């Protein structure tokens, strides 16, 4: 299957710091999605990107669809304790299939 | 999520037994998906449905079958459970294909012993 390389694997940051994570692939994707997952729950969609170069914000979150269509980035500004969780990227090649990254575990230290 | 329910939430079963997981939605969405989530692999698509009685295979479909006889229900069956199928299974629903409206259920934790 498709491999999405998500990095970093885990992050430990102080409350108030900014966070950056990214996702790369050897394939060209048509759509990039970013999800957050809390323990014991399913992923929740944060941001969706549909065009190369697109930059989209959702509150303190900003994500970008890379120009090459092989990567995407998620930034979280001024982190707060409730940002703790696992963040997943997902990319769509064609049709109905999305491929997920392996996740970035975020810990925010108050 | 309020519009999507998975059952059971937890199950322990023995190797070789059949197991059926249920996903029920109240959103009347056309598309339904089954994923499994394992450490180091993220979520991987097992099967999906694009309408009643219309299903297709995903990335990791071997050993699994699905059925959708009603819009609101999508069943995932492990025909003969193996230890490698120990995982957390998530159902997702979507109104349109290839867009971002996917809503995920809370998951079913399946342990095959």
């Amino acid at each position: 299957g498709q491999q999405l390389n998500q990095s970093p694997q885990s992050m430990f940051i102080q409350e108030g710091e900014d966070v950056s994570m990214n996702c790369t692939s050897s394939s060209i994707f048509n759509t990039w999605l970013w999800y957050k997952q809390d323990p014991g729950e399913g992923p929740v969609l944060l941001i969706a990107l549909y065009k190369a170069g697109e930059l989209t914000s959702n509150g303190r979150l900003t994500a970008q669809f890379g120009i090459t269509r092989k990567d995407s980035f998620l930034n979280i500004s001024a982190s707060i304790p409730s940002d703790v969780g696992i963040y997943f990227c997902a990319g769509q090649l064609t049709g109905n299939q999305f491929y997920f990254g392996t996740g970035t575990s975020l810990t925010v230290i108050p | 999520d309020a519009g999507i329910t998975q059952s059971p939430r937890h199950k322990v079963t023995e190797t070789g037994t059949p197991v059926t997981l249920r996903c029920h939605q109240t959103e009347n969405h056309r598309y339904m998906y089954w994923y499994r989530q394992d450490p180091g692999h993220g979520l991987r698509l097992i099967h999906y449905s694009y309408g009643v009685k219309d299903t297709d295979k995903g990335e990791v479909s071997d050993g699994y079958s699905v059925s959708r006889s009603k819009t609101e229900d999508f069943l995932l069956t492990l025909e003969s459970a193996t230890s490698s199928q120990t995982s957390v299974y998530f159902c997702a629903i979507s109104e349109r294909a290839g867009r971002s409206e996917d809503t995920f259920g809370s998951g079913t934790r399946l342990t095959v012993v």
Side-chain angles (χ1 to χ4, degrees), chain A:
Chain A
Q2 293 297 322
Q3 194 132 17
L4 294 186
N5 300 308
Q6 193 170 342
S7 66
Q9 201 169 4
S10 62
M11 302 181 74
F12 294 82
I13 62 168
Q14 292 287 132
E15 183 177 356
E17 288 184 352
D18 297 343
V19 173
S20 290
M21 60 189 77
N22 69 81
C23 209
T24 62
S25 171
S26 57
S27 300
I28 292 175
F29 285 95
N30 296 321
T31 300
W32 283 98
L33 307 176
W34 285 92
Y35 291 86
K36 178 176 183 272
Q37 186 176 26
D38 293 324
E41 298 297 327
V44 174
L45 182 68
L46 299 173
I47 292 180
L49 303 157
Y50 301 109
K51 287 167 44 177
E54 182 180 354
L55 187 70
T56 297
S57 294
N58 177 7
R60 293 176 298 104
L61 278 62
T62 302
Q64 183 160 26
F65 193 142
I67 293 290
T68 65
R69 294 171 62 192
K70 294 183 178 180
D71 56 12
S72 180
F73 307 87
L74 176 70
N75 296 313
I76 305 173
S77 62
S79 59
I80 59 178
S82 62
D83 289 335
V84 165
I86 302 179
Y87 292 79
F88 290 97
C89 62
Q92 181 207 17
L93 283 172
T94 58
N96 294 309
Q97 297 215 21
F98 282 87
Y99 297 91
F100 282 76
T102 52
T104 294
S105 174
L106 178 64
T107 301
V108 179
I109 303 165

Side-chain angles (χ1 to χ4, degrees), chain B residues 76-88:
Chain B
L76 176 70
T77 297
L78 287 66
E79 291 136 12
S80 177
T82 66
S83 58
S84 65
Q85 293 176 311
T86 293
S87 185
V88 181

Side-chain angles (χ1 to χ4, degrees), chain A residues 1-2 31 33 35 37 40-45 48 50 88 92 95-103, chain B residues 9 31 33 35 37 40-43 45 48 50 57-59 90 97-102 104-106:
Chain A
Q2 293 297 322
T31 300
L33 307 176
Y35 291 86
Q37 186 176 26
E41 298 297 327
V44 174
L45 182 68
Y50 301 109
F88 290 97
Q92 181 207 17
N96 294 309
Q97 297 215 21
F98 282 87
Y99 297 91
F100 282 76
T102 52
Chain B
R9 287 298 310 273
Y31 297 89
Y33 309 81
Y35 291 89
Q37 184 174 36
H41 288 279
L43 287 97
L45 182 65
Y48 65 95
Y50 47 97
K57 295 179 180 181
E59 188 182 358
F90 286 98
R99 301 300 281 187
S100 61
E101 295 87 1
D102 287 9
F104 282 81
S106 297

